[in-house]
Amino acid sequence: MNAESSREFDVIVIGAGAVGENVADRVVRGGLTAVIVESELVGGECSYWACIPSKALLRPGSVLHAAQGIPGASEAVTGVIDAESALKHRDWFTNNWQDGGQVEWLDSAGIELIRGRGRITGPREVQVDGLDGNSYALKAHHAVVVATGSTPTIPDIEGLKDVPFWTTRGATAAKVIPQRFAVLGGGVAGVELAQAFARLGSVVTLIARGRLLSSYPEEAADLVLAGLRADGVTVHLHTDVDKAEKNDDGSVTVTFNGEAVTADTLLVASGRHPALANLGLENVGVEPQNGKPLRLTTDASGLVEGPASDGTSGLWLYAAGDAAGKVLLTHQGKYEARATGDAIVARANGKLQGTPRPWTAYAHTANEHAIPSVVFTDPEVASVGPSLEQALLQGKHVTGVELPIDVSGSQLYSRDYKGWAQIVVDEDRKVILGATFVGPGVAELLHSATIAIVGEVPLDRLWHAVPSYPTISEVWLRLLEKYGL
C-alpha cells in the first residue's frame, strides 16, 4: 500500500443509499470521521428505482380515480392519464438519475465519498476498486457498516434466464409504456406496478403463486384484488408458472396451468434478498451456514454476531437496512441506521457496553413491535404490528376488532368509498398490538396507530383521543365503540 491509496477513518460505510447516508451522518454528528463507498448512485435504490419513482407512477391514477368519485369533479374529468407527462414527472422526482444533489449533501455533512466497489479484506479493512481506476485500501478505527441494500430474487422457472424481463428497476425507470404487460408476483411491488401500468395504458396480466399480499389480512388483499380488476388487470392466483419463452418478435410468452399469456414486457417481482455477494465477508469468518444463502445475524444495534478473524467476535462489523435482512423497508432501514450510528459513537466513547436496552437510542426495538408499511395501490393498505392471524400464531391473548370504513369522512372522500379496518387488542395489557386500514387515503391514518402501539397507550386513555369530524380517522371511534368502550 502506498500513502496515496491508504486512508484511515473512524467508520467505513459500504453503500450510499438512504441507510448508509443515515449511518454516516449520525457518526459524523457524534464527532467521528466517516467515508461512504458506493459503486452506483448516491441515494440508492429508494431514490431512483423503488419508493420514489414507483409512487410517482402510481399517483396520477390515484388522483384521477379520486376525482372520478366525486360528483362535480367527475363531470370535469374528461380525459385519461397522459403517460408521457407522468413519465416526465417521475423523471423529475428521480432527478433524471443524476446524484449531484446527494453528493453535495454528503460534502456539506462532512462525509467523504469514494466511488467504487468495496470488499472487506480483514478486520476493519476494506479494499475499494475505484471507478476512477485507482485502488484504495481503507482502515476503520471503530466500525465497518454493511449497508448494501437488497437485490431481486429470481425464481427458478424454465426458460426464464433466456428471455428478456424487467425487475423492479426496469419498471420504475421505464421510458415507454408497453402495450401488453405481464407481472410475476403478487407482493407489494407486483400489485403496485401492475396497477400503475394498467392506469398508464398497458393491458396487464398478474400471476401470483398464492394470494395477493400474503403478509396482510385477507380482507385487505381482497379489496386490492377488486381494485386491480376494476382497472382491467387480469389476475391469476395460486398459479405456478411452468415456462417462459422468447418469441421472434421480441415478446415473451408465459405458460401456466395449460394457459399462455404473451406480453411485450415481462416484470419479475418475486421478492428481494440482502445484497451480500462479493463483499468479502468470508474473509472475516462470516459465511453461509448449512448450505443456506448468506444471512447476517445482528444484535439490537446492528452489530453483526459471529466470528471474526482477529478474535473480536465481530465487535467492529455492523449491518443495517435491507442488508441486515430483518425488515426490507426504507423507513425502517433509516430507523435502524440512526440507532446503529449512535451505537457506534457510544461504543467508541465507552458509553455503551454489550447489547443495548430496548427502546433506547441504540436499539432497533420497533422492529419487534411496530413496523409500519403501506401498499400504495388504490385502495391503499396501511398496516403496523401483527394482524389478528399473526398475533394468534405468536400465541398472544388477543381480540380482533374489524369493520368496514363507513364514516362521514369516507363518504365525503368518495361516493363509492370501500374500506376496511382492523385493530388487534392485547387482552392482558389492554393496549393495541396491531392495526390495518384499507381504503383510499388511509396511509395518513397509520402514524397514529404506530404511536399508539409504540407508546403502549391504554385503551381507556386512547378513548379520549377524539378524532376530528368529518375525517376518515373517525373510524378509530367506531373501532373502539365496537370493542366496547
Side-chain angles (χ1 to χ4, degrees), residues 17 37 39 106 244 254 309 319 341 467 475 485:
V37 179
S39 62
L106 287 181
V254 174
S309 59
V475 70
L485 293 176

Side-chain angles (χ1 to χ4, degrees), residues 22-113:
N22 273 269
V23 172
D25 185 43
R26 299 299 278 210
V27 299
V28 168
R29 290 188 188 194
L32 304 182
T33 60
V35 61
I36 283 185
V37 179
E38 176 56 63
S39 62
E40 294 190 295
L41 296 178
V42 175
E45 202 78 16
C46 181
S47 297
Y48 303 104
W49 300 288
C51 317
I52 296 300
S54 63
K55 278 51 181 180
L57 292 175
L58 282 160
R59 184 60 179 160
S62 297
V63 172
L64 179 60
H65 188 234
Q68 291 170 336
I70 299 296
S74 61
E75 290 80 3
V77 177
T78 57
V80 297
I81 294 173
D82 185 316
E84 183 177 356
S85 295
L87 293 177
K88 287 181 179 179
H89 186 57
R90 182 272 323 268
D91 293 348
W92 177 82
F93 261 108
T94 60
N95 200 32
N96 287 293
W97 291 274
Q98 300 295 316
D99 64 359
Q102 298 270 21
V103 173
E104 288 179 9
W105 177 83
L106 287 181
D107 185 59
S108 68
I111 302 165
E112 188 155 341
L113 169 67

Side-chain angles (χ1 to χ4, degrees), residues 20-367:
E21 289 177 318
N22 273 269
V23 172
D25 185 43
R26 299 299 278 210
V27 299
V28 168
R29 290 188 188 194
L32 304 182
T33 60
V35 61
I36 283 185
V37 179
E38 176 56 63
S39 62
E40 294 190 295
L41 296 178
V42 175
E45 202 78 16
C46 181
S47 297
Y48 303 104
W49 300 288
C51 317
I52 296 300
S54 63
K55 278 51 181 180
L57 292 175
L58 282 160
R59 184 60 179 160
S62 297
V63 172
L64 179 60
H65 188 234
Q68 291 170 336
I70 299 296
S74 61
E75 290 80 3
V77 177
T78 57
V80 297
I81 294 173
D82 185 316
E84 183 177 356
S85 295
L87 293 177
K88 287 181 179 179
H89 186 57
R90 182 272 323 268
D91 293 348
W92 177 82
F93 261 108
T94 60
N95 200 32
N96 287 293
W97 291 274
Q98 300 295 316
D99 64 359
Q102 298 270 21
V103 173
E104 288 179 9
W105 177 83
L106 287 181
D107 185 59
S108 68
I111 302 165
E112 188 155 341
L113 169 67
I114 296 178
R115 292 189 184 271
R117 292 176 173 82
R119 179 177 174 82
I120 298 169
T121 53
R124 301 180 178 84
E125 295 179 350
V126 175
Q127 189 75 26
V128 181
D129 295 327
L131 298 184
D132 60 2
N134 296 320
S135 180
Y136 302 86
L138 308 181
K139 179 73 175 181
H141 297 146
H142 296 293
V144 174
V145 183
V146 177
T148 47
S150 60
T151 192
T153 299
I154 306 302
D156 185 14
I157 295 173
E158 181 183 348
L160 184 60
K161 67 179 185 301
D162 299 318
V163 304
F165 63 84
W166 282 349
T167 61
T168 50
R169 278 197 174 195
T172 57
K175 298 301 182 185
V176 296
I177 303 302
Q179 181 179 352
R180 299 169 298 176
F181 188 53
V183 179
L184 303 187
V188 175
V191 296
E192 286 187 348
L193 290 168
Q195 188 168 56
F197 277 82
R199 289 180 165 184
L200 289 168
S202 294
V203 176
V204 180
T205 301
L206 184 148
I207 306 167
R209 292 187 63 184
R211 68 171 176 87
L212 297 185
L213 302 174
S214 59
S215 62
Y216 295 85
E218 194 160 359
E219 293 86 346
D222 287 345
L223 285 172
V224 172
L225 175 60
L228 290 175
R229 286 176 169 162
D231 285 324
V233 179
T234 300
V235 181
H236 298 273
L237 302 179
H238 307 288
T239 300
D240 288 318
V241 173
D242 300 316
K243 185 179 180 181
E245 53 188 334
K246 182 180 178 180
N247 303 312
D248 291 340
D249 62 358
S251 63
V252 175
T253 296
V254 174
T255 58
F256 54 92
N257 296 343
E259 298 185 51
V261 169
T262 298
D264 303 301
T265 303
L266 173 66
L267 167 64
V268 178
S270 302
R272 302 179 69 85
H273 61 274
L276 302 176
N278 303 315
L279 287 178
L281 290 166
E282 69 279 2
N283 294 327
V284 290
V286 181
E287 299 187 84
Q289 300 295 315
N290 303 319
K292 296 180 180 180
L294 179 60
R295 291 289 190 272
L296 298 177
T297 301
T298 60
D299 77 355
S301 68
L303 187 65
V304 175
E305 299 174 354
S309 59
D310 67 346
T312 60
S313 300
L315 294 178
W316 55 274
L317 182 61
Y318 292 77
D322 286 13
K326 292 183 177 179
V327 184
L328 275 63
L329 293 168
T330 297
H331 50 268
Q332 211 69 14
K334 291 163 71 174
Y335 159 75
E336 293 176 14
R338 294 188 292 270
T340 293
D342 289 350
I344 291 170
V345 173
R347 288 191 173 110
N349 294 328
K351 295 181 180 180
L352 175 62
Q353 304 294 331
T355 301
R357 291 181 293 105
W359 300 118
T360 61
Y362 315 126
H364 309 162
T365 313
N367 283 352

Side-chain angles (χ1 to χ4, degrees), residues 464-477:
H464 295 280
V466 181
S468 55
Y469 178 88
T471 64
I472 300 174
S473 60
E474 194 179 10
V475 70
W476 275 103
L477 174 59

